[in-house]
Amino acid sequence: MRLKSLLTAFIAVATLAWPAAAQDCVGRNLFDDMAPERLAQLRAATDAVPHHKGLFWRAGKGDSHVLLLGTYHFADPRHERTMARFGPEIDRAAALLVEAGPAEEAKLAEAMAADPTLVVDTTGPTLPERLGEADWQALSAALEDRGLPALIASKLRPWYVAVMLGISPCMKRMVEARGDAGGLDHLLIARAEAADVPVRALEPWDTVFTLFRDMTPKEEEDMIRAAMPAAAYADDYATTLSDSYFAGDSWLIWEFGRFDAYENSGLGRDEVDRQMRLAQEKLMDQRNESWIQPIEQAAADAARQGKGVVAGFGALHLPGRHGVLQLLQDRGWTISPVTVEGIGDGG
């Protein structure tokens, strides 16, 4: 799998972002069945977060200009509206900045093919030994649905198990059949390459392998347990997440995952909150902070050419007190939303 797909899937596992609800995969929107008081709780938690609503933004500071596009990493026909709106701006940009470009994705694929121990633990205790019989039986059944036999799954590294749980079985079959997730990130890259606009990565190709390096065994095990509730209804969950993305409700997804884990993970409320903080730090906050310098540098270089840059990355990196938008604003950038008809308004 490609770096963006791996990261996106794990974010979904931790209920931090969204896998695809492609037109081939049919599920129901879980918000439609949610009790009004629970939905009100989610929205109240979301409303306190800076820049929680919206997918597309402009940032300016002096002569430097950045168009920031919050992306969704899997295929959806609604991406056509986004590309129609912003494709010409990519054509004129000095550079397109993404989480990982084609070169980084190729390095990742080569590394995983050459070294299976990146995702398989050949020396430590197996997952059945770590999780116990009941949790292992539930986990192995979920992984079987995703094409992973129990014997193989038992030796996978916990972060990769979380990745697989975050992908609905339907989506996994669709991606395997088509050979490409076809998300907005890839559409942006294809447009830039067609216009001879340089594509630059915001982080190294091996980021996915370094995110979880310092986790304790218990943190790894609880990461899997926190992932299990959504795995049981993955197609419905995927539909809910994609619908929320196109409605521009990025942070609502985060809070949905938190409350889902409160009720269904078997972990205490304090432990769920700790897992959420840990996931936010590793998957978003630390990465967001590392992206600011290359974004600012690229924008400054482009300004000397009389141009701007476009930056496209997972939409959940935009909001929050440690989100890219707030980090830029804290450094003196002026932030303003950009609208696209039918996107971010429930369409």
Side-chain angles (χ1 to χ4, degrees):
M1 294 182 66
R2 298 182 176 186
L3 177 58
K4 291 191 291 293
S5 300
L6 284 167
L7 292 175
T8 306
F10 177 76
I11 291 171
V13 163
T15 58
L16 314 180
W18 37 89
Q23 50 197 340
D24 308 50
C25 299
V26 179
R28 61 192 176 91
N29 189 317
L30 295 168
F31 287 142
D32 294 342
D33 302 326
M34 185 173 290
E37 60 271 18
R38 172 51 51 85
L39 188 56
Q41 287 180 302
L42 300 186
R43 292 202 177 277
T46 299
D47 288 346
V49 175
H51 311 297
H52 65 271
K53 181 77 172 180
L55 300 172
F56 315 121
W57 302 75
R58 295 192 190 279
K61 184 179 181 181
D63 294 331
S64 296
H65 300 280
V66 183
L67 172 64
L68 298 146
L69 306 179
T71 64
Y72 170 75
H73 299 303
F74 290 90
D76 193 287
R78 288 169 284 188
H79 290 322
E80 294 177 7
R81 302 176 191 173
T82 304
M83 293 305 301
R85 175 65 178 82
F86 298 118
E89 295 200 43
I90 295 173
D91 296 343
R92 298 190 296 268
L96 171 68
L97 310 180
V98 292
E99 295 176 46
E104 289 72 31
E105 292 182 350
K107 288 179 182 178
L108 174 65
E110 292 169 5
M112 293 183 69
D115 184 6
T117 65
L118 290 171
V119 296
V120 176
D121 185 353
T122 59
T123 59
T126 64
L127 290 177
E129 293 169 330
R130 296 179 63 172
L131 295 174
E133 181 65 18
D135 285 343
W136 169 245
Q137 289 301 322
L139 175 61
S140 61
L143 294 177
E144 287 272 6
D145 288 343
R146 290 155 177 80
L148 282 171
L151 181 61
I152 295 174
S154 68
K155 299 179 181 179
L156 290 173
R157 297 192 182 279
W159 71 264
Y160 191 73
V161 171
V163 166
M164 296 309 298
L165 288 175
I167 304 174
S168 77
C170 171
M171 175 52 58
K172 184 174 183 293
R173 291 191 297 270
M174 193 195 78
V175 171
E176 288 173 347
R178 297 181 179 178
D180 194 327
L184 182 56
D185 308 74
H186 285 180
L187 296 177
L188 298 176
I189 290 170
R191 182 72 181 237
E193 290 179 330
D196 291 325
V197 172
V199 177
R200 300 176 185 169
L202 287 166
E203 58 193 8
W205 68 270
D206 60 349
T207 296
V208 69
F209 301 120
T210 65
L211 292 175
F212 318 108
R213 189 172 286 165
D214 60 349
M215 293 181 73
T216 67
K218 184 178 186 305
E219 287 172 338
E220 292 180 330
E221 293 153 15
D222 284 347
M223 176 175 63
I224 293 174
R225 293 186 176 99
M228 287 297 297
Y233 46 90
D235 288 341
D236 291 340
Y237 198 75
T239 295
T240 307
L241 298 175
S242 68
D243 286 353
S244 296
Y245 166 82
F246 285 103
D249 282 328
S250 297
W251 205 264
L252 187 63
I253 295 307
W254 177 282
E255 298 302 336
F256 176 82
R258 182 192 304 277
F259 281 85
D260 191 40
Y262 286 160
E263 294 182 351
N264 300 309
S265 69
L267 300 173
R269 193 181 183 97
D270 289 346
E271 183 58 30
V272 169
D273 287 341
R274 193 179 70 82
Q275 282 287 319
M276 295 293 283
R277 285 194 300 271
L278 179 67
Q280 181 178 340
E281 289 170 4
K282 289 183 173 294
L283 292 168
M284 294 186 292
D285 293 355
Q286 294 175 8
R287 296 170 67 208
N288 294 346
E289 289 165 6
S290 74
W291 293 353
I292 298 304
Q293 191 278 331
I295 289 173
E296 289 190 313
Q297 185 62 58
D301 293 342
R304 287 190 284 272
Q305 307 172 44
K307 296 183 177 183
V309 296
V310 178
F313 42 75
L316 206 61
H317 291 279
L318 291 169
R321 292 178 177 82
H322 298 278
V324 169
L325 295 174
Q326 188 63 51
L327 292 173
L328 288 173
Q329 196 168 59
D330 290 345
R331 294 172 67 89
W333 290 73
T334 298
I335 306 296
S336 58
V338 184
T339 59
V340 174
E341 184 178 358
I343 304 291
D345 59 4

